[in-house]
Amino acid sequence: MKDINELQIPGDFLYAKDHEWAKPEGDKVRVGLSDYAQDQLGDIVFVELPQVGARHAKGEQFGTVESVKAVSELYMPVGGEILSVNKALEASPEILNREPYASGWMIEIKPSDPAELKGLMNREAYVGHLKGLSQ
């Protein structure tokens, strides 16, 4: 497992307490799993993502990630409609381990209330959250 100082935590992303990241891009938000989460899970072997067009509220489960260690639920960092899913993860779920912030994105959503983004953590707050978990 990586030390907090070894984790990739980009400053232009927002983070949820459940370790999903959100990156606003115009009127949509790209969502994925943080480097911390993929590191904790270990080798990811399966990803289940929602159907395009599905709607989920903030905090609702939208999918699952299965690793050699465990199955973990994925939760919506903001509510909205699923605009697209990363189909590459179905064939190659290990992309999440290699590139959690680039080609490892999971879904793109159209937020139902963009103000919900204000409830997410910036890089500094997320690092503080992670430090609290390791104590």
Side-chain angles (χ1 to χ4, degrees):
M1 305 247 198
K2 296 179 184 175
D3 184 70
I4 288 177
N5 298 324
E6 298 173 299
L7 293 170
Q8 299 174 48
I9 306 174
D12 56 341
F13 287 64
L14 299 170
Y15 301 89
K17 288 183 180 175
D18 294 316
H19 309 292
E20 290 82 14
W21 57 258
K23 186 170 190 219
E25 297 177 342
D27 63 347
K28 65 183 178 181
V29 176
R30 188 169 269 197
V31 176
L33 196 62
S34 75
D35 191 30
Y36 172 83
Q38 74 76 24
D39 184 58
Q40 294 291 307
L41 285 167
D43 293 335
I44 295 172
V45 296
F46 181 76
V47 178
E48 180 182 55
L49 297 174
Q51 297 294 316
V52 171
R55 294 180 179 273
H56 297 281
K58 178 180 179 175
E60 278 187 357
Q61 181 179 334
F62 72 83
T64 58
V65 174
E66 185 177 334
S67 73
V68 294
K69 293 181 183 178
V71 175
S72 294
E73 290 80 25
L74 301 166
Y75 299 100
M76 295 287 284
V78 294
E81 178 184 355
I82 308 298
L83 297 175
S84 62
V85 298
N86 187 348
K87 294 285 188 191
L89 297 178
E90 291 176 6
S92 302
E94 69 278 1
I95 293 170
L96 283 171
N97 293 117
R98 289 193 318 264
E99 298 182 0
Y101 300 106
S103 56
W105 66 275
M106 297 180 148
I107 59 173
E108 289 180 326
I109 61 174
K110 179 175 181 161
S112 49
D113 181 4
E116 288 180 339
L117 289 164
K118 293 181 178 137
L120 299 175
M121 295 177 274
N122 63 16
R123 182 187 193 285
E124 293 73 28
Y126 186 59
V127 169
H129 174 66
L130 295 177
K131 286 179 179 175
L133 294 177
S134 65
Q135 294 177 354

